[in-house]
Structures are given as structure tokens and as C-alpha cells.
Amino acid sequence: LSTAMLGFGVGAMSNTISSRLRSLRDRHATTIGGIGFSASTALGYPLWNSLPVAPMSLGTDITQLFWVPLLLILITLPFVFAGFFVSNVFSRAPGASATLYAYDLAGAAVGVGLYVLLISRLGGPGCVCFAATSGLVAVILAASSTLNVRMALIFFTVAVIGAAPSIDEHVPLRISSNKILGSPQARALPRDTAWSVTSAVDVVRTTQGVSIVIDGGTAMTRLPSADPRKPVEPPRGLRALPFALGARESALVIGSGGGVEVRACLGAGVQRVLALEIGPVISKLVGGSLSRRIGEIFRSPQVELVTAEARAYLAAQPERFDTIMAFHTISNAAATSGAMSLAESYLLTQEALALLLSRLSDDGVLVMSRPEPQIPRLVATVAAVWEQNTPLSQHIAVVTASAASPDFITTLVVARKPLNVEDEIAIRESTPGRIAYLPSGDGELHELIRVAADHHRKPRETVRRIAEVAARLPYTPATIEPATDDRPFFNLNRPWKEVGLGDID
């Protein structure tokens, strides 16, 4: 969006401040703008796609200081020509600005509709190629070209449209080396690619099994291999936690992906499983071509698979659940572009957690996993919307998937009822890694979690105490300032004023 706005602005300004450009005849100016847009789009794709850009390596690879700006210039160039074309059209008929603007809005609406219609058929590179033809079409309609020129433009337009479906085969989209599928070994793996309006989805096959990878590695889900003729085994490890506490009647799985959590619910004997998956391509895969591989769990009568954004869906549904599971619902789309602090997480704000807690039954359990340094912030965010009479510190547990410190998969358990001795024993038996916090006093994060749970009542004091406790840990915890819908940047480890040169690596 920023490159588009910059390009449009530069194109329009150049038409105003350059006497040479102003001296061009109207038909020449619009022709230059339209053909320039098409050429810089169609030819620009293979050019910028070949650049060895790796934004996450800016701190370690000095050549990125050249490649990243060059990439930004190349992807801005088509918008410069578009801005030049549009400003010329408006300047030619200033009295018809209102009508022209109406056509502009109508064209934008048609463009969005075409994108939704074509993305699944042409893929991302194909849509870029198809979009390039719009400049040629504009010249054919708006410029006063000769018949021969128009015929040539029509020929090139048809040729580009014909090449669009196969462009990805000849010039495959390059995946940054910072992503899972960016290595030479990963690129050589057999895989099938499908596109939705929001992302590319790859089904990757290795000797270890099948995985679904989103946008080359911004997110990934491994598919559990299972025989549909055999009964589902009881869950083990972190995914057995809510059922160890007795939450077995109904379950909500947020980000069901390949079905690991859904399978855990079925293995625990849950009678009603609502699986929410935001990606329509993933829903189609696990309910269709990959269904048998994962044991046809999404075709089970106990399971309802819904393609929807969790908050929008739950806001319209009053149903309550004994278990709500959200394991690593992390979108790294911004992170893998080198902008982790700008990754918006609307499932991790005060408003989102208040909604999830309101959907728990009286005996319900909420289970969410995050990287360990972020757990105190998650606890502080829950505490900010906690409405029970008893302190939050008596209702939560924190456990890890392994002995690593910090552990990438660390789980926060929030129970409607205070955890008792039997609950803590059950949590210990289900935990494959470390006990980081239990209400009775166990866990190396016990003091840290208690401080985070009090943050909303004593913010200044808890910030000081957090710093004291964190000094004894082998890592630096994230800020405990709760995220909100107005500031949904949960992945921002510390406030901007605390970020220094030492944070660049």
C-alpha cells in the first residue's frame, strides 16, 4: 500500500513539475503512462523476482542495503506510470472530474472482483501478469492511437493474457531464504500449490510426512498421519491438558489447520468439536484430497469445520465450550518480511481474550500457546479482562513442550475454576517439558507470572519488579503491556522507546 501511494504521488507530481512532460501531447502522455505501467509490471516481475532479497538478513548481510531499496523502487515503478496516466486523464477534462472519479471507483471495484475470481485460477504471478494488461487496455480506449498501434496493442494484450496461467511455471515465484521453503533443499521438494485471496498454500511432501505451508513459511501445519479404519488414540502432551482437567463435552479449536487439535479432541471423547479455520484452501484440502491421510477426522459426525475468522464468528454465536484451544495461532507474514513489530495479532488483544473467556462454560478451560518470552504478556492481557472473584494467579498454569529455555511452544492454561491439588497433579502428568508455573508455587517463572497477573492493578510497580525477576532468567521476556485492538502489536517485544542498537542482529 505504501509503495502504491508513493508511486501514484510521484507520477502525478512529475506531470505537474516537469515542463518537458507537460509539453507532451495528450495522447502521447497517456500512451506513455499506459504502456509504461504494463511494461514495468510484466517485465518487472521477473526482474524483481530474481533479486536475492532477504529482509530478515538486513542486520547481518550488508548487500541487503542495496537489494531491498532496489526491490522497493522496482515495485513502485508501475504505480508511478499509473499515477502519470491518471493525472493526465484528469488534466485533459477538469470539468468532468466527478464523472472520471466515478469511473475510477467503478474500475477499482471491478479490479477487486476480478482478483477474487482469478487468483485461484492464475495464482499470484499469473494475476500480476494479467494486471499488466490493464495499461494496454487503457491506452486502446483512452489514447488517440492509429489503427495499427491499436491492433498491435490488442495483439500484445491477448498474448499476455494467454501467458498468465503458465507464468509461474516459467518464472516461479522466488521464496526468501529466510522462509521455510526458501532453501535449495526445500525448493526441490515435491509440492502442490494453491492460492486463496490472502495467501499461497503449498502441500509439501517429505520422507517425514506431509505439511501445509502458507506463503512459503509464514505459517505451517503438519498433518497427522492416521488410518480412518482405526479408532483415534487418546491425546498426549500439551494437547491433553484441557481434558486432563475434565473439559470433555464440547471443544472449540481456533486455527484447526491440519487437524492435530481436532484429533486430540476426538481422542479425548469430546462430543462436539467446532473447528474454525480462516484459510479456505486449507479447509478444502483437509476436508477433501487430504482427508483420508489424516483419518477423515473432519468428516466425523462430532466435528463441524467452519471457514471463518474466529472473532467475527464467535461474536455472532452465543455458544459456550468446555475447551477452547488455540495452539500457536501465529501469523508471521510481517515477521518474514522483516517487520515483526508490525504483525497485527487480533486474537491476542484484551478484547479478543475477553470474548474467548466469555465463551467458556462454567467448568471450561482455555489453552493457548506462544513462545515462552511472550507468556508474561499474555498473562497480563488476560488479567486486564479477568472478571472472576478469585485472583487469576489461582486459575492458571504455564508449561512447556520441552526442556529448552526459552521454549518456542509454551502453553498457558486458564481454568474457570481455581486449580486444586488434583488439577496440578494432572497437569504434571500431561506435561512433556517443564513446569513453569503452578498456583502452589512450583516453576521457575512463578514470581514472574504472579507479577504479570498483577500488572493491571499496579502497572508502575510491576514494571520494576519484572525487570528484577527477568535479570535472573536466561532470556529477556517481552513487555507485559497488554495489547489492545487499537494497538494490536502483540509481537512487539518492547516499547519503541526501549529499542536500541543492541536489538539489531
Side-chain angles (χ1 to χ4, degrees):
L1 181 60
S2 60
T3 56
M5 296 301 294
L6 174 63
F8 273 117
V10 170
M13 287 183 60
S14 64
N15 187 47
T16 303
I17 64 178
S18 172
S19 58
R20 178 174 296 182
L21 291 176
R22 288 199 307 270
S23 65
L24 290 173
R25 292 183 179 180
D26 292 338
R27 66 184 182 91
H28 290 160
T30 51
T31 300
I32 290 173
I35 295 179
F37 170 80
S38 294
S40 59
T41 301
L43 300 179
Y45 164 69
L47 183 58
W48 59 252
N49 187 56
S50 65
L51 300 181
V53 175
M56 291 294 286
S57 300
L58 275 168
T60 56
D61 182 3
I62 194 171
T63 64
Q64 296 301 317
L65 296 177
F66 170 76
W67 294 121
V68 172
L70 180 58
L71 170 69
L72 294 176
I73 290 172
L74 289 175
I75 62 178
T76 302
L77 194 57
F79 299 105
V80 174
F81 283 108
F84 180 70
F85 180 95
V86 171
S87 63
N88 267 283
V89 171
F90 273 84
S91 62
R92 286 167 56 181
S97 294
T99 303
L100 290 173
Y101 188 56
Y103 282 122
D104 176 59
L105 294 178
V110 171
V112 171
L114 283 174
Y115 170 74
V116 173
L117 180 66
L118 295 175
I119 184 64
S120 61
R121 295 168 173 80
L122 302 181
C127 279
V128 171
C129 190
F130 184 87
T133 64
S134 61
L136 300 178
V137 172
V139 173
I140 294 171
L141 296 177
S144 303
S145 306
T146 64
L147 179 61
N148 290 338
V149 171
R150 289 175 184 269
M151 292 301 297
L153 292 176
I154 291 173
F155 172 80
F156 281 115
T157 300
V158 174
V160 173
I161 292 176
S166 60
I167 186 66
D168 197 24
E169 298 176 12
H170 303 292
V171 189
L173 185 64
R174 191 186 73 87
I175 300 174
S176 168
S177 58
N178 300 126
K179 294 187 177 183
I180 296 171
L181 298 184
S183 67
Q185 298 84 354
R187 286 196 292 268
L189 293 173
R191 65 176 185 259
D192 299 317
T193 303
W195 288 79
S196 70
V197 294
T198 57
S199 58
V201 178
D202 290 288
V203 178
V204 183
R205 293 170 174 82
T206 67
T207 54
Q208 287 76 35
V210 177
S211 298
I212 295 176
V213 182
I214 300 172
D215 282 340
T218 60
M220 183 180 75
T221 178
R222 290 184 174 87
L223 273 65
S225 182
D227 188 340
R229 296 168 296 182
K230 296 181 179 179
V232 180
E233 297 179 356
R236 294 179 295 176
L238 298 180
R239 288 168 178 82
L241 284 171
F243 314 116
L245 301 179
R248 293 177 179 272
E249 290 300 318
S250 60
L252 166 66
V253 177
I254 298 176
S256 56
V260 176
E261 288 75 43
V262 172
R263 188 170 183 81
C265 293
L266 293 177
V270 176
Q271 298 303 306
R272 152 81 169 148
V273 182
L274 174 61
L276 296 182
E277 171 55 53
I278 196 171
V281 172
I282 295 178
S283 295
K284 184 178 180 180
L285 287 171
V286 297
S289 59
L290 298 176
S291 177
R292 185 168 181 80
R293 181 179 184 87
I294 59 178
E296 298 185 347
I297 54 177
F298 287 99
R299 295 181 180 178
S300 170
Q302 296 101 305
V303 178
E304 180 185 1
L305 175 60
V306 177
T307 303
E309 192 279 322
R311 284 188 60 179
Y313 183 88
L314 293 176
Q317 302 292 333
E319 185 176 1
R320 300 171 72 194
F321 302 88
D322 294 326
T323 296
I324 297 179
M325 304 174 74
F327 271 88
H328 259 47
T329 51
I330 298 176
S331 172
N332 286 330
T336 48
S337 300
M340 186 63 175
S341 61
L342 301 181
E344 298 175 343
S345 301
Y346 285 100
L347 276 176
L348 296 168
T349 63
Q350 290 184 21
E351 294 84 351
L353 290 171
L355 177 61
L356 293 181
L357 291 173
S358 71
R359 294 299 182 265
L360 282 178
S361 65
D362 293 337
D363 298 322
V365 178
L366 169 65
V367 179
M368 303 184 76
S369 72
R370 302 295 299 177
E372 188 171 342
Q374 295 182 353
I375 290 296
R377 187 177 198 186
L378 183 58
V379 171
T381 307
V382 174
V385 295
W386 187 250
E387 296 181 349
Q388 301 284 94
N389 293 327
T390 49
L392 175 64
S393 57
Q394 297 181 27
H395 294 254
I396 60 175
V398 178
V399 298
T400 66
S402 71
S405 183
D407 194 355
F408 182 64
I409 301 179
T410 302
T411 301
L412 172 66
V413 179
V414 183
R416 274 283 189 182
K417 292 184 177 180
L419 299 176
N420 54 36
V421 176
E422 289 77 14
D423 294 331
E424 293 195 5
I425 292 174
I427 291 172
R428 290 179 189 277
E429 292 176 348
S430 300
T431 300
R434 297 180 286 114
I435 298 292
Y437 174 88
L438 285 176
S440 61
D442 287 353
E444 68 268 30
L445 297 185
H446 192 270
E447 185 178 355
L448 182 65
I449 296 301
R450 281 190 174 274
V451 172
D454 288 337
H455 177 262
H456 67 291
R457 293 190 291 119
K458 304 174 183 178
R460 292 185 179 180
E461 181 181 341
T462 56
V463 169
R464 177 182 57 80
R465 290 179 61 196
I466 283 284
E468 295 174 355
V469 176
R472 302 193 292 270
L473 296 174
Y475 58 88
T476 302
T479 175
I480 59 171
E481 188 67 30
T484 65
D485 280 356
D486 290 334
R487 303 184 68 182
F489 309 112
F490 188 89
N491 292 301
L492 181 62
N493 289 331
R494 289 188 299 286
W496 286 108
K497 62 181 180 182
E498 297 179 10
V499 176
L501 293 177
D503 296 299
I504 302 176
D505 53 22

